[in-house]
Coordinates of all heavy atoms in Angstrom, one line a residue:
A962 N -13.3 8.0 -23.1 CA -11.9 8.0 -23.3 C -10.9 7.6 -22.3 O -10.0 6.8 -22.7 CB -11.6 9.5 -23.5
D963 N -11.1 7.8 -21.0 CA -10.2 7.2 -20.0 C -10.3 5.7 -19.9 O -11.5 5.2 -19.8 CB -10.6 7.9 -18.6 CG -9.7 7.3 -17.6 OD1 -10.0 6.3 -17.0 OD2 -8.8 8.1 -17.2
P964 N -9.3 5.0 -20.0 CA -9.4 3.5 -20.1 C -9.9 2.9 -18.9 O -10.6 1.9 -18.9 CB -7.8 3.0 -20.2 CG -7.2 4.2 -20.9 CD -7.9 5.4 -20.4
L965 N -9.6 3.5 -17.6 CA -10.3 2.9 -16.4 C -11.7 3.1 -16.4 O -12.4 2.2 -16.0 CB -9.5 3.5 -15.1 CG -10.1 3.0 -13.8 CD1 -9.8 1.5 -13.7 CD2 -9.4 3.8 -12.7
L966 N -12.1 4.3 -16.8 CA -13.6 4.5 -16.8 C -14.3 3.7 -17.9 O -15.4 3.3 -17.7 CB -13.9 6.0 -17.1 CG -13.5 6.9 -16.0 CD1 -13.7 8.4 -16.2 CD2 -14.0 6.5 -14.6
V967 N -13.6 3.4 -19.0 CA -14.1 2.6 -20.1 C -14.3 1.3 -19.5 O -15.4 0.5 -19.8 CB -13.2 2.6 -21.3 CG1 -13.7 1.5 -22.3 CG2 -13.3 3.9 -22.1
A968 N -13.3 0.7 -18.7 CA -13.4 -0.6 -18.1 C -14.6 -0.7 -17.3 O -15.4 -1.6 -17.2 CB -12.2 -0.9 -17.4
F969 N -14.8 0.3 -16.5 CA -15.9 0.3 -15.5 C -17.3 0.3 -16.4 O -18.2 -0.4 -16.0 CB -16.0 1.6 -14.5 CG -15.0 1.4 -13.4 CD1 -14.4 2.5 -13.0 CD2 -14.8 0.2 -12.7 CE1 -13.3 2.4 -11.9 CE2 -13.9 0.1 -11.7 CZ -13.2 1.2 -11.3
A970 N -17.3 1.2 -17.4 CA -18.5 1.3 -18.1 C -18.9 0.0 -18.8 O -20.0 -0.5 -18.8 CB -18.5 2.5 -19.1
L971 N -17.9 -0.7 -19.4 CA -18.0 -1.9 -20.2 C -18.5 -3.0 -19.2 O -19.5 -3.7 -19.5 CB -16.8 -2.3 -21.0 CG -16.6 -1.7 -22.3 CD1 -15.2 -2.1 -22.9 CD2 -17.7 -2.1 -23.3
C972 N -17.9 -3.1 -18.2 CA -18.2 -4.3 -17.2 C -19.6 -3.9 -16.6 O -20.4 -4.9 -16.5 CB -17.1 -4.4 -16.1 SG -15.5 -5.0 -16.9
A973 N -19.9 -2.8 -16.3 CA -21.2 -2.5 -15.6 C -22.3 -2.7 -16.7 O -23.4 -3.3 -16.4 CB -21.3 -1.1 -15.2
A974 N -22.1 -2.3 -17.9 CA -23.1 -2.4 -19.0 C -23.3 -3.9 -19.2 O -24.4 -4.3 -19.4 CB -22.6 -1.7 -20.2
H975 N -22.2 -4.6 -19.4 CA -22.4 -6.1 -19.7 C -23.1 -6.8 -18.5 O -24.0 -7.6 -18.8 CB -21.0 -6.7 -19.9 CG -20.4 -6.6 -21.2 ND1 -20.7 -7.5 -22.2 CD2 -19.8 -5.5 -21.8 CE1 -20.0 -7.1 -23.4 NE2 -19.6 -5.9 -23.2
A976 N -22.7 -6.6 -17.3 CA -23.4 -7.3 -16.1 C -24.7 -6.9 -16.0 O -25.7 -7.7 -15.8 CB -22.5 -7.0 -14.9
A977 N -25.0 -5.6 -16.1 CA -26.4 -5.2 -15.9 C -27.3 -5.5 -16.9 O -28.5 -5.9 -16.7 CB -26.5 -3.5 -15.7
A978 N -26.9 -5.5 -18.2 CA -27.8 -5.9 -19.3 C -28.2 -7.4 -19.2 O -29.3 -7.8 -19.5 CB -27.0 -5.8 -20.7
R979 N -27.3 -8.2 -18.7 CA -27.7 -9.7 -18.6 C -28.3 -9.9 -17.2 O -29.0 -11.0 -17.0 CB -26.3 -10.4 -18.6 CG -25.9 -10.6 -20.1 CD -24.4 -10.7 -20.1 NE -23.9 -10.7 -21.5 CZ -23.6 -9.8 -22.3 NH1 -23.8 -8.5 -21.7 NH2 -23.1 -9.9 -23.5
A980 N -28.3 -9.0 -16.3 CA -29.1 -9.3 -15.0 C -30.5 -9.3 -15.1 O -31.2 -9.9 -14.4 CB -28.6 -8.2 -14.0
G981 N -31.1 -8.7 -16.2 CA -32.5 -8.7 -16.4 C -33.1 -9.9 -17.1 O -34.2 -10.1 -17.1
V982 N -32.2 -10.7 -17.7 CA -32.5 -11.8 -18.5 C -33.3 -12.8 -17.7 O -34.4 -13.4 -18.2 CB -31.3 -12.4 -19.3 CG1 -31.7 -13.8 -19.9 CG2 -30.6 -11.4 -20.2
P983 N -32.9 -13.2 -16.5 CA -33.7 -14.2 -15.8 C -35.1 -13.7 -15.5 O -36.0 -14.5 -15.7 CB -33.0 -14.4 -14.5 CG -31.5 -14.1 -14.8 CD -31.7 -12.9 -15.9
A984 N -35.3 -12.4 -15.2 CA -36.7 -11.9 -14.9 C -37.5 -11.9 -16.2 O -38.7 -12.3 -16.1 CB -36.5 -10.4 -14.3
F985 N -36.8 -11.6 -17.3 CA -37.6 -11.6 -18.6 C -38.0 -13.0 -18.9 O -39.1 -13.3 -19.3 CB -36.7 -11.1 -19.8 CG -37.3 -10.9 -21.1 CD1 -38.1 -9.8 -21.3 CD2 -37.2 -12.0 -22.0 CE1 -38.7 -9.7 -22.5 CE2 -37.8 -11.8 -23.2 CZ -38.6 -10.7 -23.5
M986 N -37.1 -14.1 -18.7 CA -37.3 -15.4 -19.0 C -38.5 -15.9 -18.0 O -39.3 -16.8 -18.5 CB -36.1 -16.2 -18.8 CG -35.0 -16.1 -19.8 SD -33.5 -17.0 -19.3 CE -34.1 -18.7 -19.4
S987 N -38.6 -15.5 -16.9 CA -39.7 -15.9 -16.0 C -41.1 -15.3 -16.2 O -42.0 -15.7 -15.9 CB -39.2 -15.8 -14.5 OG -39.1 -14.4 -14.1
L988 N -41.0 -13.9 -16.8 CA -42.2 -13.2 -17.0 C -42.8 -13.3 -18.3 O -44.0 -13.2 -18.5 CB -42.0 -11.7 -16.7 CG -41.6 -11.3 -15.2 CD1 -41.1 -9.9 -15.2 CD2 -42.7 -11.7 -14.3
V989 N -42.0 -13.6 -19.3 CA -42.5 -13.6 -20.7 C -42.4 -15.0 -21.2 O -41.4 -15.7 -21.1 CB -41.5 -12.7 -21.6 CG1 -42.1 -12.8 -23.0 CG2 -41.6 -11.3 -21.2
P990 N -43.6 -15.5 -21.7 CA -43.6 -16.9 -22.1 C -42.8 -17.0 -23.5 O -42.7 -16.1 -24.2 CB -45.1 -17.1 -22.4 CG -45.7 -15.9 -22.5 CD -44.9 -14.9 -21.8
P991 N -42.3 -18.2 -23.7 CA -41.5 -18.5 -25.0 C -42.4 -18.2 -26.1 O -43.6 -18.5 -26.2 CB -41.2 -20.0 -24.9 CG -41.3 -20.3 -23.5 CD -42.3 -19.4 -22.9
A992 N -41.9 -17.7 -27.2 CA -42.6 -17.4 -28.4 C -43.0 -18.6 -29.2 O -44.1 -18.5 -29.8 CB -41.7 -16.5 -29.4
R993 N -42.3 -19.6 -29.0 CA -42.7 -20.9 -29.7 C -42.3 -22.0 -28.8 O -41.3 -22.0 -28.0 CB -42.1 -21.1 -31.1 CG -40.6 -21.0 -31.1 CD -40.0 -21.3 -32.4 NE -40.2 -20.3 -33.5 CZ -39.5 -19.3 -33.9 NH1 -38.3 -19.2 -33.3 NH2 -39.8 -18.5 -34.8
P994 N -43.0 -23.1 -28.9 CA -42.8 -24.3 -28.0 C -41.6 -25.0 -28.3 O -41.0 -25.8 -27.5 CB -44.0 -25.2 -28.2 CG -44.6 -24.8 -29.4 CD -44.3 -23.4 -29.7
D995 N -41.0 -24.8 -29.5 CA -39.9 -25.6 -30.0 C -38.6 -24.8 -30.0 O -37.5 -25.2 -30.6 CB -40.1 -26.4 -31.2 CG -40.3 -25.3 -32.4 OD1 -40.7 -24.2 -32.1 OD2 -40.2 -25.8 -33.6
G996 N -38.5 -23.5 -29.4 CA -37.4 -22.7 -29.6 C -36.4 -23.0 -28.4 O -36.7 -23.6 -27.5
L997 N -35.3 -22.2 -28.5 CA -34.4 -22.2 -27.3 C -34.9 -21.8 -26.0 O -34.6 -22.4 -24.9 CB -33.1 -21.4 -27.8 CG -32.2 -21.9 -28.8 CD1 -31.2 -20.9 -29.2 CD2 -31.7 -23.2 -28.4
S998 N -35.6 -20.7 -26.0 CA -36.3 -20.2 -24.7 C -37.1 -21.3 -24.0 O -37.0 -21.5 -22.9 CB -37.0 -19.0 -25.0 OG -37.6 -18.5 -23.9
A999 N -38.0 -22.0 -24.9 CA -38.8 -23.0 -24.2 C -38.0 -24.2 -23.7 O -38.3 -24.7 -22.5 CB -39.7 -23.6 -25.3
S1000 N -36.9 -24.6 -24.3 CA -36.0 -25.7 -23.8 C -35.2 -25.1 -22.6 O -34.8 -25.9 -21.8 CB -35.0 -26.1 -25.0 OG -34.2 -25.2 -25.3
A1001 N -35.0 -23.8 -22.5 CA -34.2 -23.4 -21.3 C -34.9 -23.4 -20.0 O -34.4 -23.7 -18.9 CB -33.7 -22.0 -21.6
G1002 N -36.2 -23.2 -20.1 CA -37.1 -23.2 -18.9 C -37.2 -21.8 -18.3 O -36.7 -21.0 -18.8
S1003 N -37.9 -21.9 -17.2 CA -38.2 -20.7 -16.5 C -37.4 -20.6 -15.2 O -37.4 -21.4 -14.4 CB -39.6 -20.5 -16.1 OG -39.9 -19.3 -15.5
P1004 N -36.6 -19.5 -14.9 CA -35.8 -19.4 -13.8 C -36.5 -19.3 -12.6 O -37.5 -18.6 -12.4 CB -34.9 -18.1 -14.0 CG -35.1 -17.8 -15.5 CD -36.5 -18.3 -15.9
P1005 N -36.1 -19.9 -11.6 CA -36.6 -19.9 -10.2 C -36.4 -18.4 -9.7 O -35.5 -17.7 -10.1 CB -35.9 -20.9 -9.3 CG -34.7 -21.1 -10.0 CD -34.8 -20.8 -11.5
G1006 N -37.3 -18.0 -8.8 CA -37.3 -16.6 -8.1 C -35.9 -16.3 -7.6 O -35.4 -15.2 -7.6
R1007 N -35.2 -17.3 -7.0 CA -33.8 -17.1 -6.4 C -32.8 -16.7 -7.4 O -32.0 -15.8 -7.2 CB -33.4 -18.5 -5.7 CG -32.0 -18.3 -5.0 CD -31.8 -19.6 -4.2 NE -30.5 -19.3 -3.4 CZ -29.4 -20.0 -3.7 NH1 -29.4 -21.0 -4.5 NH2 -28.4 -19.7 -2.8
S1008 N -32.8 -17.3 -8.6 CA -32.0 -17.0 -9.7 C -32.2 -15.6 -10.2 O -31.2 -14.8 -10.5 CB -32.1 -18.0 -10.9 OG -31.6 -19.3 -10.5
V1009 N -33.5 -15.2 -10.2 CA -33.9 -13.8 -10.7 C -33.3 -12.9 -9.7 O -32.8 -11.8 -10.1 CB -35.4 -13.8 -10.9 CG1 -35.8 -12.3 -11.1 CG2 -36.0 -14.6 -11.9
A1010 N -33.5 -13.1 -8.4 CA -33.1 -12.1 -7.4 C -31.6 -12.0 -7.4 O -31.1 -10.9 -7.3 CB -33.6 -12.6 -6.1
I1011 N -31.0 -13.0 -7.5 CA -29.5 -13.0 -7.5 C -28.9 -12.3 -8.6 O -28.0 -11.4 -8.5 CB -28.8 -14.4 -7.3 CG1 -29.1 -15.1 -5.9 CG2 -27.4 -14.4 -7.5 CD1 -28.8 -16.5 -5.8
A1012 N -29.4 -12.5 -9.8 CA -28.9 -11.9 -11.0 C -29.2 -10.4 -10.9 O -28.3 -9.6 -11.2 CB -29.6 -12.5 -12.3
F1013 N -30.4 -10.0 -10.4 CA -30.7 -8.6 -10.3 C -29.8 -7.9 -9.3 O -29.3 -6.8 -9.6 CB -32.2 -8.4 -9.9 CG -32.6 -7.0 -9.8 CD1 -32.8 -6.3 -10.9 CD2 -32.7 -6.4 -8.5 CE1 -33.3 -5.0 -10.8 CE2 -33.1 -5.1 -8.4 CZ -33.4 -4.4 -9.6
A1014 N -29.5 -8.7 -8.2 CA -28.6 -8.0 -7.2 C -27.2 -7.8 -7.7 O -26.5 -6.8 -7.6 CB -28.6 -9.0 -6.0
L1015 N -26.7 -8.9 -8.5 CA -25.3 -8.8 -9.1 C -25.3 -7.6 -10.1 O -24.3 -6.8 -10.2 CB -24.9 -10.0 -9.6 CG -24.6 -11.2 -8.8 CD1 -24.5 -12.5 -9.4 CD2 -23.5 -11.0 -7.9
G1016 N -26.4 -7.5 -10.9 CA -26.4 -6.4 -12.0 C -26.4 -5.0 -11.3 O -25.8 -4.2 -11.6
T1017 N -27.3 -4.9 -10.1 CA -27.3 -3.7 -9.4 C -26.0 -3.3 -8.8 O -25.5 -2.2 -8.9 CB -28.4 -3.8 -8.4 OG1 -29.7 -4.1 -9.1 CG2 -28.6 -2.5 -7.6
L1018 N -25.3 -4.3 -8.2 CA -24.0 -4.1 -7.6 C -23.0 -3.6 -8.7 O -22.3 -2.7 -8.4 CB -23.5 -5.4 -7.0 CG -22.2 -5.3 -6.3 CD1 -22.2 -4.3 -5.1 CD2 -21.7 -6.7 -5.7
A1019 N -23.0 -4.2 -9.8 CA -22.1 -3.8 -10.8 C -22.3 -2.4 -11.2 O -21.4 -1.6 -11.4 CB -22.1 -4.7 -12.2
L1020 N -23.6 -2.0 -11.4 CA -23.9 -0.5 -11.8 C -23.4 0.3 -10.7 O -22.9 1.4 -10.8 CB -25.5 -0.5 -12.0 CG -26.0 -0.8 -13.3 CD1 -27.5 -0.7 -13.4 CD2 -25.3 -0.1 -14.5
A1021 N -23.7 0.0 -9.4 CA -23.4 0.8 -8.2 C -21.8 1.1 -8.1 O -21.3 2.2 -7.8 CB -24.0 0.3 -7.0
L1022 N -21.2 0.0 -8.3 CA -19.7 0.1 -8.1 C -19.1 0.9 -9.3 O -18.1 1.6 -9.1 CB -19.0 -1.4 -8.2 CG -19.3 -2.2 -7.0 CD1 -18.7 -3.6 -7.2 CD2 -18.6 -1.5 -5.8
A1023 N -19.6 0.8 -10.5 CA -19.2 1.5 -11.7 C -19.6 3.0 -11.7 O -18.9 3.9 -12.2 CB -19.6 0.8 -13.0
L1024 N -20.8 3.2 -11.4 CA -21.4 4.6 -11.5 C -21.7 5.3 -10.3 O -22.0 6.5 -10.4 CB -22.8 4.4 -12.3 CG -22.8 3.7 -13.6 CD1 -24.2 3.5 -14.2 CD2 -21.9 4.5 -14.6
G1025 N -21.7 4.6 -9.2 CA -22.1 5.3 -7.9 C -23.7 5.0 -7.8 O -24.3 4.7 -8.6
P1026 N -24.0 5.1 -6.5 CA -25.4 4.7 -6.2 C -26.5 5.6 -6.9 O -27.5 5.0 -7.4 CB -25.6 4.9 -4.7 CG -24.2 5.0 -4.1 CD -23.3 5.4 -5.3
G1027 N -26.2 6.9 -7.0 CA -27.3 7.7 -7.6 C -27.5 7.5 -9.1 O -28.5 7.3 -9.6
K1028 N -26.3 7.4 -9.8 CA -26.4 7.1 -11.3 C -26.8 5.7 -11.5 O -27.5 5.3 -12.5 CB -25.0 7.4 -11.9 CG -24.7 8.8 -11.9 CD -23.4 9.1 -12.6 CE -23.0 10.6 -12.5 NZ -21.6 10.9 -13.1
A1029 N -26.5 4.8 -10.6 CA -27.0 3.3 -10.7 C -28.5 3.3 -10.6 O -29.1 2.6 -11.4 CB -26.3 2.5 -9.7
L1030 N -29.0 4.2 -9.7 CA -30.5 4.2 -9.6 C -31.2 4.6 -10.9 O -32.2 4.1 -11.4 CB -30.9 5.0 -8.4 CG -32.4 5.0 -8.2 CD1 -32.9 3.8 -7.8 CD2 -32.6 6.0 -6.9
V1031 N -30.6 5.7 -11.4 CA -31.1 6.2 -12.7 C -31.0 5.1 -13.8 O -32.0 4.9 -14.6 CB -30.4 7.5 -13.1 CG1 -30.7 8.0 -14.6 CG2 -30.6 8.7 -12.1
G1032 N -29.9 4.4 -13.8 CA -29.7 3.3 -14.7 C -30.7 2.3 -14.7 O -31.3 1.8 -15.6
L1033 N -31.0 1.9 -13.4 CA -32.0 0.9 -13.1 C -33.5 1.3 -13.6 O -34.1 0.5 -14.2 CB -32.0 0.5 -11.6 CG -30.9 -0.4 -11.2 CD1 -30.9 -0.4 -9.6 CD2 -30.9 -1.7 -11.9
I1034 N -33.8 2.6 -13.3 CA -35.1 3.1 -13.7 C -35.2 3.1 -15.2 O -36.2 2.7 -15.8 CB -35.3 4.5 -13.2 CG1 -35.4 4.4 -11.5 CG2 -36.5 5.1 -13.7 CD1 -35.5 5.7 -10.8
L1035 N -34.1 3.5 -15.9 CA -34.2 3.6 -17.4 C -34.2 2.2 -17.9 O -34.8 1.9 -18.9 CB -32.9 4.4 -17.9 CG -32.9 5.9 -17.6 CD1 -31.7 6.5 -18.1 CD2 -34.1 6.5 -18.2

Side-chain angles (χ1 to χ4, degrees):
D963 179 278
L965 182 61
L966 296 178
V967 165
F969 283 142
L971 276 174
C972 289
H975 277 265
R979 285 149 181 89
V982 171
F985 187 84
M986 288 173 65
S987 66
L988 295 172
V989 179
R993 58 172 67 95
D995 63 338
L997 287 175
S998 179
S1000 66
S1003 181
R1007 182 171 186 246
S1008 291
V1009 172
I1011 292 171
F1013 183 77
L1015 290 172
T1017 302
L1018 178 63
L1020 279 178
L1022 290 173
L1024 304 175
K1028 291 178 181 174
L1030 182 61
V1031 172
L1033 286 172
I1034 292 169
L1035 293 176

